[in-house]
Every structure is written in structure tokens, then in C-alpha cells.
Amino acid sequence: MGEAATAEEEGELVGAREVIERCSPKRLSIYRKALESSASILMGRRESIEGLELAIARAGEYGDLLVEAALLVSGAVGDLGADSCSRAHVRATRAIELADAANSKYLASAARLVLLAARIAMGEKPPVQRKIVDLTPLDQLGVMLVKASHGERVRVGSMRGLSSKSFPRELLWALGLVATRCGPASAALRLSLPDSWSRALEAIPTPPVCVDERCRGDNLEGEIALDAAGYYRPPARRASVRLLGGLTVSVDGIAVPISRLGRRHAGELLCLLAMARGHRLRKHEALEAIWGDRDYVRGMQKLYECVSTLRSILGGRHDGMDPLVSNRTNGSLELNEELVSVDIDELRAELDGVFEQEGSDRFLLVHAARARRLYGGGAVVGAVPDVTGAYGRQARKLRRTYSDAMVSAASAALREGRPYMSSLFARSAIQEGGRSEDATEALVKALAMMGRFEEIREMWDEYARSGRRGGAAAEAASTFDRIFREALESRGDDETEGDRQPDK
């Protein structure tokens, strides 16, 4: 909870921190800093932890399941506060797997609650679990939140006896979560809370900052750190890059003018890095892609100026934190993912979720719906000269992956008996030109299930007029004709392929 320690306890904590820093700076020290800042996230005072991704990666590397699960839950709560619900969903799902593997019932319940909150914040309405006898208190809070999202009457049941004084500290953060972070559902839930619970929320203590940080004046958002000499260290600025549907950049929530991105090819370099896997490029690759210059020595000045401009756009360096990392050892450039978020990452995570959920249609459709919403018009094309074609290859690969995911989702929606949803996914796949036979078959089946046979006829007419019936396309033409014919015959239409003539 981050409650204030006594002077004696604080002295012991300081000593423990010094031992950790001295003995295990690359593992335990990273965990300590992230976990001490987690209280501020759980209590809604901040939305992110500096070094969180590094701590999660280190925990995964060493197999520290409980630490990784706890950090993922904290990160997911912060994502909810920052309206990054898809990322919260991904983190909470992973935290459930880790907590179950470590046999931590409490952490698993906490992760399930955050997952429910993320789904509800995205507009979903998870089914209500009616039997709540054997559920943990955190799971019961989840049931209450789901009922509130459905507009049902919320009852607190066996938890009614909890008051502002007896409300367990390990549940108080969760009550704050369900009561404040899920939009209309939270508002509906608050109306049903007992007065003692409302008083408990009002009595939530303000977490003190960890030893590495100090509050600045009445700033309730960020907690500002001092360096070892006690000097003020400004917080690193955080940038968001969007490529899907058009290039936009914002820093600390403020949009960057497009004109700035045009200086010294800064926008072009940003696009290349944002699209690249791992957001990493060799310097010679950037030179060739933007300027077509294979003379590394001669082009270094151009690249240096471009990198300097892009750094200033993304927020510059702060206390060793650099939004654009230049590695002289291996000659690479890399976006610092702790300071720069890219929407392509969120899309790729959802697309991976589609393929990983094969066999579980309900979850597959959840990931596919988010991917379709994120994709928009696809990755921006034309902002980069792309002399070498590197950017274009990545964009086309992303487009193919998206098309395949939409086809899989269209088939899953049919199996779930949701033809309208299937038609949306299938049309998205056809629009992107991927797996046309499978996408067309799913769309035609969906239209047939909805009784929209005239649209099927129009599609067949359009296909016939396109003239794609000879040569190497003969086999594909036969497949398409079979798809249309079977759909029309399902209504009792006796028109055959030989009788079918395109409208004049």
C-alpha cells in the first residue's frame, strides 16, 4: 500500500536498499525500484514506472515468476489509467499464466480482476458468473463489476461486513480499481457500494515516494527523482508514434507539428525505425533507405544531423535516458521502447493473439476485433523515399499478416454463429488482397446465413465481368464459381455455372 514507515523501519529499509544495490545491481536492484514504485500505480497516482519493461524482461530471463507476475499486474493497472486497454489485456493475460504456474492464488485473482477491468473499459460485457460462493474476494469484486457493466443490481454479499477500518489492505487497491477505472460500469458500481466501503476509499493513504524519489510541490502526477548529489532530475519525456492511418507523433500528449518531421528527413528515419522489427536499424541501412548513399563515411554527417533533429522532436536526453539510442559498437540505431511507444507494436501483439488462439474462437475474435480497430487504413505509405524497399517490405508483410488474421477471424465468427461479424472480417481481408478464395468463401457464407442472396448475385456478376476465367486462373475461377453456386443453391436457386451470365 505504500504506507509510511516508522523512523526505525525506514532506517532498516535504507540499509536493505544499500545492500541490494551493492550486491545485485542488475537484478534485485532493478526489481526493488520497480516494485517500490508500484504502489503509486496501484493507487492511481501515476501511470507508468521508469524501467518497468527492463524489470519484466529481467524477471523473465531469470525465471522469477512471482516478480514478473506482480510487475505485469502493476503495469496493466497503469495501462488502464493511460487508456491503453489492449496492452493491459495482454499483460494481465500473461500475469494469470505466470501466477498459476507459481501457484499464487492471490496474484492470479488480481490479474483476473485487471483483465476484466480492461475488457469492460474497452466496451465489452463479459458474462456474469452467478455462483460466487467459492470465489476469492478479488474475484467477487470482479463479479460485482461485471454485474454493474450489465446494469444489474450489485450486491456485496459476504463482504458487507468490511468497513473503513477493517477493509483489508490487499483488497483496497482493487476496490479503487473497479470503482474508478472502468467508465460507466465504475459509476454504476459506486452507487451500490455500502457507506463503509466509500469511507474506506476516501481513507486510502497517499503512498510516500521511494528513497530514490521526491515529490515536487503539489504535483500529484509525477514524482521527481534526485540524482546522487541531490540535484533535481527532470522526468524523461514520453513519445507516442502512430503509423496506422497516417503518421502522427505526440510527446507527453502534445502533438508534434508535421512540419518538424520534415526537417533533415527526421520523419523518414522515424518511420523506418517504427516499422522495423525491434525498432532497430543498422546505420548503413538507414543511409541507403533514405538517401540511397552507400558511402558510409560521406553520409555520416547527414545521418548525424537527422538523428539530432529526431532526438529533439522525441524529447531529447534526460539523465542518460535517450529516446533514440545510437550504438557505436555494432553501428545501429534503436528507438528506446521505455520512452517511445509505437502503435505497430500494439497491432502486432493483437495479430499474434489471433494466431495463438487458434482453437479458442471466442478469444480469437476478441484479438481480431481489436486488430481491425487498430489497423484503420494500414501503415502509412509514401512518407519514406524507401530507396532500398526495406520499409515497403515490412509494410507488405504486416498487410499480409493482417489479411490472414482477418480470414481466420471470419471463419471463427461463422463457427460461433455470428455472420455479420464474419462479413466484416472477410471484407477487411478482401480489401487488403489476402487469401482471396478463403476470404470470399467466408463472406459468401456469411451473407447466405443472413439471407442476403442478392448481394451474392451481385458479387458473382462482378466476378464474371472481371474476366478472370482463362489461363493460369482457370482453377481459381472454378473455385470461385463453386463458392457462389453453392451459396445460391442453399436457397433453392437452381441456376448453374453454365447458365450464369454476367449482367450486361
Side-chain angles (χ1 to χ4, degrees), residues 9 41 76 93 106 110 117 177 187 224 236 248 259 327 333 416 420 435-436 447 470 484 491:
E9 291 169 341
I41 282 190
T93 302
Y106 175 81
L177 175 73
I224 311 300
T248 59
S259 59
N327 191 318
L333 293 170
E416 288 285 301
Y420 178 70
R435 288 164 60 186
S436 56
L447 292 175
F484 291 120
R491 191 181 66 166

Side-chain angles (χ1 to χ4, degrees), residues 460 469 481 485 489 494-502:
W460 199 0
R469 291 178 172 270
D481 286 332
R485 185 174 61 254
E489 288 175 351
D494 59 357
E495 196 168 25
T496 65
E497 180 184 355
D499 299 327
R500 188 69 180 160
Q501 297 293 331

Side-chain angles (χ1 to χ4, degrees), residues 210-458:
C210 69
V211 73
D212 302 317
E213 299 175 331
R214 298 291 186 272
C215 289
R216 178 178 61 179
D218 57 356
N219 177 16
L220 300 181
E221 284 295 325
E223 291 168 353
I224 311 300
L226 305 181
D227 62 18
Y231 292 101
Y232 166 67
R233 185 177 72 208
R237 300 173 66 187
R238 300 186 180 274
S240 174
V241 180
R242 299 194 63 84
L243 292 183
L244 298 170
L247 174 62
T248 59
V249 181
S250 61
V251 179
D252 288 343
I254 301 174
V256 174
I258 295 297
S259 59
R260 291 194 66 191
L261 298 175
R263 298 175 185 173
R264 295 194 177 102
H265 301 278
E268 296 161 15
L269 178 58
L270 180 59
C271 284
L272 285 170
L273 288 167
M275 180 62 76
R277 279 286 184 180
H279 307 305
R280 183 185 297 108
L281 280 176
R282 298 284 186 179
K283 293 178 182 179
H284 69 82
E285 292 174 340
L287 283 171
E288 293 173 14
I290 298 176
W291 293 280
D293 194 341
R294 295 182 178 274
D295 187 338
Y296 184 80
V297 176
R298 187 180 63 185
M300 275 300 294
Q301 183 60 32
K302 300 177 185 177
L303 187 60
Y304 174 80
E305 293 173 354
C306 181
V307 168
S308 178
T309 301
L310 184 53
R311 275 198 181 113
S312 67
I313 290 173
L314 297 178
R317 298 179 180 178
H318 291 272
D319 192 49
M321 297 286 285
D322 196 335
L324 180 56
V325 180
S326 176
N327 191 318
R328 296 182 179 180
T329 304
N330 59 19
S332 67
L333 293 170
E334 180 180 358
L335 288 180
N336 185 341
E337 295 185 48
E338 292 190 23
L339 298 182
V340 184
S341 63
V342 182
D343 61 349
I344 294 290
D345 293 338
E346 196 171 353
L347 174 62
R348 283 173 172 154
E350 297 299 345
L351 294 177
D352 290 343
V354 171
F355 298 118
E356 290 170 1
Q357 295 294 338
E358 294 283 357
S360 178
D361 291 340
R362 183 166 63 89
F363 289 108
L364 186 154
L365 293 176
V366 170
H367 288 290
R370 293 183 191 131
R372 183 173 178 270
R373 183 171 64 249
L374 287 167
Y375 188 76
V380 60
V381 177
V384 182
D386 201 18
V387 176
T388 61
Y391 180 89
R393 284 193 297 272
Q394 288 290 343
R396 288 191 295 272
K397 183 178 180 180
L398 184 68
R399 185 181 182 186
R400 288 194 299 270
T401 303
Y402 172 78
S403 299
D404 291 346
M406 292 299 101
V407 172
S408 297
S411 300
L414 286 177
R415 291 192 294 270
E416 288 285 301
R418 305 178 73 172
Y420 178 70
M421 177 178 284
S422 176
S423 69
L424 295 179
F425 289 133
R427 290 185 194 278
S428 295
I430 293 172
Q431 183 178 0
E432 298 304 319
R435 288 164 60 186
S436 56
E437 292 97 339
D438 294 341
T440 301
E441 183 171 12
L443 177 57
V444 170
K445 286 182 178 179
L447 292 175
M449 289 177 66
M450 292 186 289
R452 291 158 62 171
F453 293 97
E454 288 305 316
E455 289 187 44
I456 298 175
R457 285 179 174 276
E458 292 174 4

Side-chain angles (χ1 to χ4, degrees), residues 119-137:
R119 293 175 61 188
I120 291 172
M122 288 188 292
E124 296 183 31
K125 289 189 176 181
V128 178
Q129 189 170 351
R130 299 299 176 183
K131 184 179 178 181
I132 63 173
V133 176
D134 299 326
L135 298 182
T136 67

